[in-house]
């Protein structure tokens, strides 16, 4: 069953969250805890946190290509040994690793090898690149072709009441499930331990459903959670 037409924007996600929490923005406990405007802002924050947690879960389960995009042609700044380009502000991770470069031409020809930043001096004279802070650097002597692009996984945009949710239709309940578990830290959440157990069970069920759909859509992937290059995580 697809959820298109139901969880389509932030407003519909908010209604689903209220149903799950058995509350609404007129709840006395919520209003007592915050002013009405602050309460609504808090609900929006919970939904955004839920969306981000849900996206990271989907990416970790191998569904990252839903948010695959490319930068425009990059242009390096500075001079050897510090030639770099600032990473896209919406980037979660490169769509590449030390074996399959995330840098390519517009026709798909891959360029360079991703290395750890500590190897940048050992790899001088080779076509290699590394990440440090929020920048992508090329090694000394590297020859980066003009028109090179960066393939990367982008961060889900800020949710809004009047725009579509950038998330797989069938898995949008996962956003609500994560948001509800985040709400367990709020003083106004009704229901106590019984409610918290219900929310944890709901999250686990939604995660299981999303995982099964991700496995059906592509070959299973092995995620090495312990490997990080620079200061960004990479899918393998």
């Amino acid at each position: 069953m697809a959820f298109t037409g139901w969880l389509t924007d932030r407003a519909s996600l908010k209604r689903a969250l209220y149903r799950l929490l058995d509350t609404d923005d007129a709840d006395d406990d919520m209003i007592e805890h915050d002013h009405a405007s602050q309460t609504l802002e808090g609900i929006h924050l919970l939904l955004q946190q839920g969306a981000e947690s849900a996206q990271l879960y989907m990416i970790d389960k191998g569904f990252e290509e839903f948010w695959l995009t490319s930068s425009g042609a990059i242009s390096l700044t500075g001079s050897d040994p510090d030639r770099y380009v600032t990473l896209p502000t919406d980037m979660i991770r490169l769509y590449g690793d030390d074996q399959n470069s995330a840098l390519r031409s517009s026709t798909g020809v891959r360029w360079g090898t991703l290395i750890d930043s500590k190897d940048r001096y050992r790899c001088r004279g080779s076509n290699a690149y590394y990440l440090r802070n929020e920048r992508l650097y090329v090694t000394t002597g590297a020859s980066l072709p003009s028109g090179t692009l960066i393939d990367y996984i982008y961060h889900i945009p800020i949710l809004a009441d009047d725009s579509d949710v950038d998330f797989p239709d069938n898995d949008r309940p996962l956003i609500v499930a994560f948001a509800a578990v985040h709400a367990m830290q709020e003083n106004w959440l009704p229901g106590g331990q019984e409610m918290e157990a219900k929310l944890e069970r709901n999250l686990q069920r939604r995660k299981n459903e999303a995982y099964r759909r991700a496995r059906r859509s592509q070959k299973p992937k092995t995620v090495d959670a312990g490997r990080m290059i620079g200061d960004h995580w990479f899918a393998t």
Side-chain angles (χ1 to χ4, degrees):
M1 175 182 178
F3 290 92
T4 303
W6 174 29
L7 299 179
T8 56
D9 52 23
R10 186 175 64 182
S12 55
L13 289 171
K14 181 176 66 175
R15 291 191 294 271
L17 179 61
Y18 281 155
R19 285 193 296 271
L20 184 58
L21 298 180
D22 192 24
T23 188
D24 56 45
D25 51 16
D27 186 282
D28 290 340
D29 289 336
M30 293 179 68
I31 294 174
E32 181 180 350
H33 184 261
D34 282 321
H35 294 299
S37 61
Q38 293 174 320
T39 296
L40 186 58
E41 181 180 334
I43 291 295
H44 290 169
L45 178 59
L46 287 172
L47 286 170
Q48 190 64 40
Q49 291 172 336
E52 293 170 359
S53 296
Q55 184 187 22
L56 290 176
Y57 176 81
M58 297 291 286
I59 290 172
D60 287 343
K61 297 306 177 185
F63 210 76
E64 72 272 15
E65 291 184 5
F66 186 87
W67 297 283
L68 173 61
T69 191
S70 301
S71 71
I74 61 176
S75 179
L76 296 174
T77 297
S79 57
D80 282 336
D82 293 314
R83 289 184 295 153
Y84 69 89
V85 61
T86 300
L87 294 171
T89 57
D90 63 344
M91 190 186 94
I92 293 180
R93 64 178 65 161
L94 294 179
Y95 187 67
D97 52 35
D98 51 350
Q99 298 181 23
N100 300 284
S101 179
L103 273 58
R104 63 172 177 84
S105 70
S106 60
T107 59
V109 177
R110 299 288 167 181
W111 178 90
T113 301
L114 177 67
I115 62 172
D116 193 284
S117 61
K118 68 176 180 292
D119 295 325
R120 61 189 182 278
Y121 297 117
R122 181 175 62 82
C123 294
R124 284 180 297 185
S126 62
N127 286 334
Y129 63 97
Y130 58 94
L131 300 183
R132 192 171 65 194
N133 300 322
E134 299 303 317
R135 295 173 176 176
L136 183 151
Y137 289 81
V138 299
T139 51
T140 299
S143 179
L144 182 71
S146 61
T148 297
L149 314 175
I150 303 175
D151 286 338
Y152 68 96
I153 307 302
Y154 66 86
H155 192 285
I156 186 172
I158 299 296
L159 299 175
D161 286 346
D162 58 353
S163 61
D164 189 53
V165 181
D166 191 5
F167 208 87
D169 289 350
N170 284 315
D171 297 307
R172 291 176 184 180
L174 188 62
I175 297 175
V176 180
F178 268 110
V181 168
H182 286 308
M184 288 165 48
Q185 309 304 315
E186 301 289 334
N187 293 332
W188 50 259
L189 181 69
Q193 292 183 347
E194 184 177 346
M195 171 65 83
E196 292 182 1
K198 167 191 167 184
L199 300 181
E200 291 283 7
R201 289 194 303 270
N202 179 67
L203 175 60
Q204 189 58 54
R205 179 166 65 92
R206 297 302 187 185
K207 288 167 72 173
N208 290 343
E209 291 170 352
Y211 177 66
R212 287 195 295 269
R213 276 189 287 269
R215 287 291 297 271
R216 285 201 302 267
S217 66
Q218 56 191 286
K219 294 180 180 179
K221 293 186 178 182
T222 301
V223 177
D224 181 358
R227 188 171 69 86
M228 189 171 77
I229 297 178
D231 48 15
H232 287 268
W233 292 94
F234 299 90
T236 55

